Amino acid sequence: MTQSHPRISKAVIPAAGLGTRFLPATKATPKEMLPVVDKPAIQYVVEEAVSAGLEDVLMVTGRNKRPLEDHFDRNYELESALNKKGDADRLARVQESSDLATMHYVRQGDPRGLGHAVLCAAPHVGHEPFAVLLGDDLIDPRDPLLQRMIDVQEQHGGSVIALMEVAPEQIHLYGCAAVEATGESDVVKITGLVEKPDPADAPSNYAIIGRYVLDPHIFGILRKTEPGRGGEIQLTDALQQLAEDEKVGGPVHGVVFKGRRYDTGDRADYLRAIVRLACEREDLGPDFRTWLRSFVAEEMQER
């Protein structure tokens, strides 16, 4: 008989990074607020959490991140101006972000890594399993990865990590998982984890992408986790301990994702994400695709 585990209700979104890869744009603007077409990247992430039923969202922020809070708050002056103009469409879009979820905020005082950012969420999360969503990975809403991860966690308990197969020569860019097969094609048992391994030492080509469903025992482990790669407290190191000993926090499973993912973590992939999402928009796509074909054709002729 399938064991029942506590229902997940909270999502944690670490958003305290400095965004140095996008300087100078991020000198005064949080990288999470950079627009992907006409919405900031962070809104896509909150929408994903809400679509999976997680309407209690804690954002872990840092210095100069106040615009994140403002974006998910009401802007009465702007709303009043749009209302007076009769611009119902833009008014609805402005109000959408403030009505999405119940938002909470906590500051990560020192930039001590992802593991430390997750640890900052402990007082809010308490003793419940919870989801962690990183803002650099945007998951297409037509491919409900987070909901699948929640289902796996409710079935097996413990923690669940999102995995994606990558080319062996790219595995050094990611955390990497050693895995065992299960009876489900998209679910694996994780037996070990290593952060950004040399390709020759990687246990597989399964890369960790930015979605986690975590057992609350992770907090106790993170409190004792020493700084690892880059001098930071690595979430991967703490998850490795969970994978080694199921008696503490249950097993660690992975959901192998083969859907649409938009990587906004570096400049080139950020641009690709904008193009892909713009092409798929009903209001922008037809004209934009026509222009894009013409542009590419002209570029090919010139070369």
Side-chain angles (χ1 to χ4, degrees), residues 66-86:
R66 182 62 185 270
L68 292 172
E69 299 183 34
D70 291 341
H71 179 71
F72 292 101
D73 198 0
R74 299 293 298 273
N75 187 326
Y76 292 103
E77 295 83 358
L78 177 59
E79 291 177 28
S80 177
L82 292 171
N83 189 47
K84 288 179 180 178
K85 290 172 62 176

Side-chain angles (χ1 to χ4, degrees), residues 111-168:
R112 298 172 58 193
L114 176 58
H116 181 257
V118 171
L119 184 56
C120 291
H124 181 78
V125 170
H127 301 288
E128 305 172 22
F130 63 104
V132 174
L133 299 87
L134 305 189
D136 287 347
D137 287 317
L138 304 187
I139 305 298
D140 194 292
R142 294 168 293 185
D143 302 311
L145 168 62
L146 185 58
Q147 184 60 64
R148 176 58 174 151
M149 295 173 68
I150 291 172
D151 292 342
V152 171
Q153 196 279 336
E154 289 180 343
Q155 179 182 356
H156 297 286
S159 298
V160 182
I161 302 172
L163 302 175
M164 178 184 68
E165 290 190 80
V166 300

Side-chain angles (χ1 to χ4, degrees), residues 168-174 176 194-204 229:
E169 61 271 17
Q170 292 183 323
I171 197 65
H172 71 283
L173 301 172
Y174 300 87
C176 176
V194 60
E195 182 68 20
K196 297 181 179 178
D198 186 279
D201 300 325
S204 74
R229 190 180 182 93

